[in-house]
């Protein structure tokens, strides 16, 4: 019914987690070829926190303002992942029906910190894996699609050796599982407290970065996937084999500008830049999940109204896997 109020988390200015406020907004109605989703769970990702705080890699501050808003966020509802149930469908919708359990990824358009959301039926949207809860399914997209895109860009081959730096995070824990699925030999780099998690995810080797520096151990890798942003090419190149690839999920502007020069002057390369996700990617992750070859790692879950505490925790840099907001 038009005019009905729902809860949303609003971000009207850049800053610390306290800028996030729980407010009432009008419940949306699905347009033709849209579905209305009652959201059961969403997530707090590092990407959400970067947009809220503008704490971004060197050189990208002004660019972020151009994209997301010069003085305040253009899109004042953050959140890029959701899992829920289709409550209504717009005219002409064929792909989904009322009652379908789904999960989705909205990426730069965001808007998932809300109780109800409309999405196009041909968006990055798929049926929820039957063996996951809504809390788990909400955490499939961000880490899963980011890891998948970079591994595809690297052209990772069966039998190749890959080192994943920041292996306990959302992207890193997804990358460990996907690289194993693709038949690579996986070395996970994490802190001592996450060694058991890496072993559970079936990493072949685990390096505790508080004790050992992988760049000094004499080993080389076909692919180094830096999910954290603290392994520049200058540090990684001696640990890359000939034709090795550094995947830089978090790159500064100077590093981005150096990519072309590196390609011309070295027998190794850097893979960086924005990635895109598709509904086919979500379906692929769902299939792996149902085959019990992939599962998102859940660190903490918070109630919807605990959004400030959730953002503070992600800002701390201590999270492993994913942080989920339980909406319904």
């Amino acid at each position: 019914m038009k005019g009905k109020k729902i809860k949303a988390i609003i971000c009207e200015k850049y800053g610390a987690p306290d800028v996030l406020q729980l407010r009432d907004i009008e419940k949306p109605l699905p347009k033709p070829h849209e579905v209305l989703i009652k959201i059961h769970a969403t997530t707090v990702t590092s990407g959400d926190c970067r947009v809220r705080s503008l704490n971004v890699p060197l050189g990208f501050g002004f660019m972020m303002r151009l994209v997301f808003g010069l003085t305040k966020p253009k899109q004042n509802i953050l959140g890029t992942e959701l899992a829920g149930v289709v409550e209504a469908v717009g005219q002409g919708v064929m792909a989904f029906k009322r009652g379908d359990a789904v999960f989705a990824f909205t990426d730069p358009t965001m808007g998932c910190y809300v109780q109800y959301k409309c999405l196009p039926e041909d968006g990055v949207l798929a049926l929820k894996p039957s063996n996951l809860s809504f809390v788990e399914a909400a955490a499939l997209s961000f880490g899963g699609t980011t890891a998948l895109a970079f591994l595809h860009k690297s052209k990772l081959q069966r039998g190749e050796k890959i080192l994943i730096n920041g292996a306990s995070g959302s992207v890193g824990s997804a990358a460990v599982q996907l690289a194993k699925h693709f038949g690579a030999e996986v070395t996970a780099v994490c802190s001592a407290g996450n060694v058991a998690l890496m072993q559970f995810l079936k990493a072949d080797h685990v390096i505790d970065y508080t004790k050992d520096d992988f760049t000094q151990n004499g080993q080389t890798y076909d692919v180094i996937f830096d999910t954290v942003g603290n392994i520049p090419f200058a540090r990684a190149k001696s640990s890359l084999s000939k034709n090795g690839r550094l995947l830089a999920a978090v790159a500064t502007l100077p590093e981005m500008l150096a990519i072309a020069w590196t390609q011309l002057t070295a027998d190794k390369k850097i893979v960086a830049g924005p990635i895109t996700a598709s509904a086919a990617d979500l379906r692929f992750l769902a299939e792996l999940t149902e085959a019990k070859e992939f599962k998102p790692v859940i660190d903490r879950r918070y109630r919807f109204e605990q959004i400030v505490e959730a953002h503070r925790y992600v800002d701390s840099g201590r999270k492993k896997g994913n942080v989920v907001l339980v909406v319904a």
Side-chain angles (χ1 to χ4, degrees):
M1 182 187 301
K2 193 170 182 178
K4 183 176 180 180
K5 298 296 183 180
I6 61 171
K7 297 293 184 184
I9 294 162
I10 305 297
C11 181
E12 293 183 332
K13 59 184 178 180
Y14 298 117
D18 304 89
V19 301
L20 300 166
Q21 302 290 324
L22 192 64
R23 302 270 184 83
D24 288 334
I25 65 169
E26 193 168 282
K27 183 178 179 180
L29 294 173
K31 299 173 184 175
H33 300 288
E34 284 188 343
V35 297
L36 173 66
I37 301 169
K38 180 180 181 180
I39 298 177
H40 286 234
T42 181
T43 63
V44 177
T45 69
S46 57
D48 299 328
C49 292
R50 287 191 196 102
V51 173
R52 186 213 76 233
S53 65
L54 285 184
N55 182 12
V56 296
L58 178 67
F60 284 104
F62 182 66
M63 199 175 300
M64 285 283 286
R65 287 183 183 270
L66 286 178
V67 173
F68 292 102
L70 284 173
T71 60
K72 62 181 182 178
K74 295 176 189 174
Q75 165 56 284
N76 63 10
I77 300 176
L78 306 182
T80 60
E81 300 179 276
L82 66 83
V85 175
V86 175
E87 182 172 280
V89 298
Q91 184 178 358
V93 170
M94 302 293 292
F96 300 94
K97 64 183 185 301
R98 188 173 184 273
D100 279 345
V102 296
F103 71 111
F105 186 44
T106 59
D107 204 11
T109 62
M110 298 181 293
C112 294
Y113 289 176
V114 66
Q115 289 179 315
Y116 289 84
K117 183 169 179 61
C118 289
L119 288 175
E121 66 169 328
D122 61 353
V124 187
L125 175 67
L127 294 174
K128 181 181 75 68
S130 58
N131 58 340
L132 289 191
S133 67
F134 286 106
V135 165
E136 293 169 320
L140 265 175
S141 305
F142 176 76
T145 61
T146 303
L148 187 61
F150 274 100
L151 293 177
H152 281 328
K153 281 186 174 185
S154 75
K155 299 180 180 177
L156 182 69
Q157 301 296 309
R158 180 172 292 277
E160 285 195 313
K161 295 168 65 177
I162 181 172
L163 178 139
I164 299 169
N165 182 50
S168 62
S170 172
V171 177
S173 59
V176 169
Q177 297 176 80
L178 290 170
K180 287 295 295 180
H181 171 74
F182 293 137
E185 181 181 331
V186 177
T187 297
V189 179
C190 62
S191 64
N194 293 314
V195 169
L197 172 62
M198 294 302 103
Q199 292 169 339
F200 175 77
L201 296 181
K202 300 181 180 178
D204 298 287
H205 315 283
V206 184
I207 296 174
D208 173 3
Y209 70 81
T210 65
K211 295 180 180 178
D212 299 297
D213 181 351
F214 77 86
T215 66
Q216 303 299 315
N217 65 13
Q219 296 291 317
T220 58
Y221 306 90
D222 301 294
V223 177
I224 294 176
F225 191 175
D226 179 17
T227 72
V228 180
N230 61 4
I231 310 291
F233 183 72
R235 184 181 171 204
K237 62 182 180 181
S238 63
S239 298
L240 284 169
S241 59
K242 186 177 181 181
N243 299 316
R245 293 87 78 197
L246 171 65
L247 312 183
V250 184
T252 66
L253 185 57
E255 287 168 342
M256 293 288 289
L257 296 174
I259 289 176
W261 176 250
T262 302
Q263 315 287 53
L264 291 173
T265 60
D267 59 0
K268 303 159 186 179
K269 71 177 189 176
I270 305 170
V271 177
I275 60 100
T276 57
S278 68
D281 293 333
L282 296 196
R283 290 192 293 270
F284 175 76
L285 292 171
E287 288 168 6
L288 283 188
T289 299
E290 292 189 324
K292 298 184 179 179
E293 292 187 43
F294 185 88
K295 190 172 185 179
V297 174
I298 308 298
D299 182 355
R300 294 187 182 183
R301 60 184 76 187
Y302 292 85
R303 298 190 307 277
F304 198 46
E305 62 270 22
Q306 292 177 303
I307 184 65
V308 171
E309 293 96 317
H311 267 248
R312 280 184 184 142
Y313 180 61
V314 176
D315 275 354
S316 75
R318 296 194 302 267
K319 82 172 178 71
K320 56 185 177 182
N322 300 271
V323 170
V324 179
L325 285 178
V326 180
V327 181

